[in-house]
């Protein structure tokens, strides 16, 4: 029932899940923590949406293209040995 | 090349440089300049600052190489230097508001709790989502993070260091890395949510 889920938010289960989402995504929770979060995500649409958007955010942030080193910088770097 | 091969190659180069083959330092520069420059572009306020940071970092690396004891890989040590140069720049120019991010500010609001489905963008593959405009949004969001949070997010999620490596690079605890990383990610997620909510057609 939706109402029970709303109660969860108030009892802090959601807060505790929300706090650990990054560790869950990074596989840094111990076995028990990990299954706690996983079980909660299966039941709670709100936390599950948070989890999915957070996961996508991390993926997107990791996909940024590299800029090439400007030529003038690369020339400056060639002089480093002479600056020392 | 595997990571181990890269580290071994660095060790040989550094040993030779220390034995007097100073010219080999150029190989180190060529190997890492793109990484360090792109790290700088994410951390420093302007591209010019990023360039200065890269130059200072390599100068320091060259200067202090004699004291480097391989307690970590050379690459990680280079990031220690680069991060500390960034920190000094931060003190000189206050570009992003330096403040602590709290978890509460990112907690789902009542109106989010009523929704039953995750937004569409969370379900799409990354290559379908990525556009110049979105990349710009992500860059802006990262730039808007307080420096201490930005450093952690960039080292973990963009440069690909582990929690422990990031802690060693920044001289903070792993617990601290985790706390800052989670809040920084939530901050960026907030920007993306807003971006999509403002124009549901995206
Ligand atoms: Zn929940």
């Amino acid at each position: 029932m939706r109402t029970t889920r709303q109660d969860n938010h108030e009892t802090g289960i959601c807060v505790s899940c929300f706090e650990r989402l990054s560790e869950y995504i990074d596989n840094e929770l111990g076995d028990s923590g990990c299954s706690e979060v996983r079980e909660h995500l299966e039941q709670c649409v709100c936390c599950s949406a948070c989890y999915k958007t957070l996961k996508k955010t991390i993926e997107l942030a990791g996909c940024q293209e590299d800029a090439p080193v400007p030529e003038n910088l690369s020339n400056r770097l060639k002089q480093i040995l002479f600056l020392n | 090349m595997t990571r181990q091969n890269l580290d071994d190659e660095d060790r040989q180069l550094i040993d030779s440089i220390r034995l007097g083959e100073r010219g080999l330092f150029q190989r180190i520069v060529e190997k890492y300049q793109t990484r360090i420059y792109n790290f700088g572009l994410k951390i420093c306020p302007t591209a010019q600052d990023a360039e200065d940071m890269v130059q200072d970092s390599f100068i320091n690396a060259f200067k202090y190489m004699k004291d480097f004891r391989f307690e970590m890989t050379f690459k990680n040590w280079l990031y220690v230097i680069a991060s500390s140069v960034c920190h000094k720049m931060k003190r000189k120019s206050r570009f992003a508001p330096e403040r602590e991010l709290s978890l509460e500010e990112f907690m789902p609001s009542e109106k989010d709790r009523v929704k039953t489905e995750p937004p569409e963008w969370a379900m799409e593959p990354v290559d379908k989502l990525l556009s110049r405009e979105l990349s710009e949004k992500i860059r802006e969001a990262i730039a808007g993070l307080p420096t201490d949070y930005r450093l952690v997010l960039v080292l973990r999620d963009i440069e690909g260091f582990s929690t422990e490596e990031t802690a060693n690079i920044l001289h903070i605890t792993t617990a601290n890395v985790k706390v800052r990383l989670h809040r920084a990610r939530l901050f960026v997620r907030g920007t993306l949510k807003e971006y999509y909510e403002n124009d549901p057609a995206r």
Side-chain angles (χ1 to χ4, degrees):
Chain A
M1 295 297 292
R2 190 63 27 91
T3 40
T4 348
R5 283 168 198 160
Q6 291 286 339
D7 290 344
N8 282 349
H9 281 282
E10 279 146 42
T11 55
I13 299 172
C14 288
V15 176
S16 142
C17 174
F18 185 76
E19 262 171 2
R20 293 185 291 175
L21 281 179
S22 275
E23 283 173 285
Y24 178 72
I25 290 168
D26 295 335
N27 258 322
E28 287 182 338
L29 287 176
D31 287 346
S32 70
C34 183
S35 45
E36 262 172 48
V37 172
R38 192 185 317 111
E39 275 162 32
H40 181 72
L41 290 179
E42 279 163 14
Q43 297 163 14
C44 176
V45 279
C46 174
C47 286
S48 168
C50 285
Y51 162 72
K52 284 172 181 149
T53 49
L54 189 62
K55 208 166 172 206
K56 192 58 69 179
T57 301
I58 299 165
E59 261 184 78
L60 286 168
C63 287
Q64 302 298 299
E65 250 176 70
D66 276 342
V69 176
E71 209 171 315
N72 70 315
L73 173 60
S74 147
N75 289 334
R76 265 159 80 191
L77 292 173
K78 289 192 181 116
Q79 309 299 315
I80 282 185
L81 295 173
F82 305 104
L83 295 175
N84 274 273
Chain B
M1 249 202 258
T2 66
R3 196 168 172 171
Q4 187 58 48
N5 288 144
L6 284 174
D7 294 342
D8 289 348
E9 187 190 71
D10 285 348
R11 205 177 254 267
Q12 282 170 11
L13 276 172
I14 289 158
D15 285 340
S16 304
I17 294 165
R18 284 163 159 173
L19 287 170
E21 289 189 65
R22 292 164 47 112
L24 286 178
F25 190 74
Q26 191 53 38
R27 294 262 291 279
I28 295 274
V29 171
E30 278 160 17
K31 191 166 166 183
Y32 291 113
Q33 60 182 1
T34 306
R35 282 269 45 84
I36 300 293
Y37 176 60
N38 278 276
F39 174 66
L41 284 180
K42 307 239 161 34
I43 304 295
C44 303
T46 68
Q48 185 56 52
D49 290 325
E51 291 192 23
D52 292 344
M53 182 282 272
V54 175
Q55 176 166 319
D56 289 354
S57 298
F58 281 113
I59 288 176
N60 285 338
F62 186 71
K63 199 157 120 194
Y64 296 111
M65 191 173 268
K66 59 179 185 332
D67 304 319
F68 175 54
R69 295 279 171 271
F70 294 100
E71 302 91 342
M72 53 176 80
T73 66
F74 176 76
K75 178 189 171 194
N76 292 25
W77 185 67
L78 203 51
Y79 275 87
V80 172
I81 296 176
S83 303
S84 105
V85 174
C86 288
H87 252 287
K88 285 190 191 111
M89 289 178 111
K90 164 191 136 182
R91 272 180 222 124
K92 274 191 283 172
S93 67
R94 323 214 101 240
F95 46 91
E98 299 305 332
R99 61 182 185 103
E100 293 301 330
L101 301 177
S102 74
L103 195 66
E104 287 67 36
E105 61 189 282
F106 304 114
M107 296 287 283
S109 64
E110 288 304 326
K111 86 174 186 337
D112 283 332
R113 283 178 193 167
V114 196
K115 291 184 192 144
T116 50
E117 292 296 317
E120 231 171 273
W121 64 274
M123 311 309 284
E124 294 279 3
V126 165
D127 53 354
K128 232 187 124 187
L129 291 171
L130 269 184
S131 64
R132 195 174 290 270
E133 198 187 40
L134 180 62
S135 296
E136 194 45 49
K137 265 283 157 232
I138 296 169
R139 241 195 310 277
E140 271 171 32
I142 294 172
L145 280 165
T147 309
D148 289 338
Y149 293 82
R150 192 163 64 251
L151 279 165
V152 169
L153 181 115
V154 171
L155 288 170
R156 286 283 286 111
D157 288 345
I158 296 175
E159 301 301 320
F161 290 104
S162 69
T163 300
E164 200 170 339
E165 287 176 311
T166 304
N168 288 333
I169 289 171
L170 297 177
H171 307 298
I172 57 177
T173 63
T174 52
N176 217 327
V177 170
K178 290 183 184 186
V179 167
R180 286 187 200 171
L181 178 64
H182 188 42
R183 293 176 194 181
R185 284 170 169 177
L186 289 167
F187 180 94
V188 177
R189 167 185 168 267
T191 309
L192 293 184
K193 260 182 74 187
E194 220 170 273
Y195 171 73
Y196 284 106
E197 278 165 13
N198 284 345
D199 182 356
R202 274 176 182 136

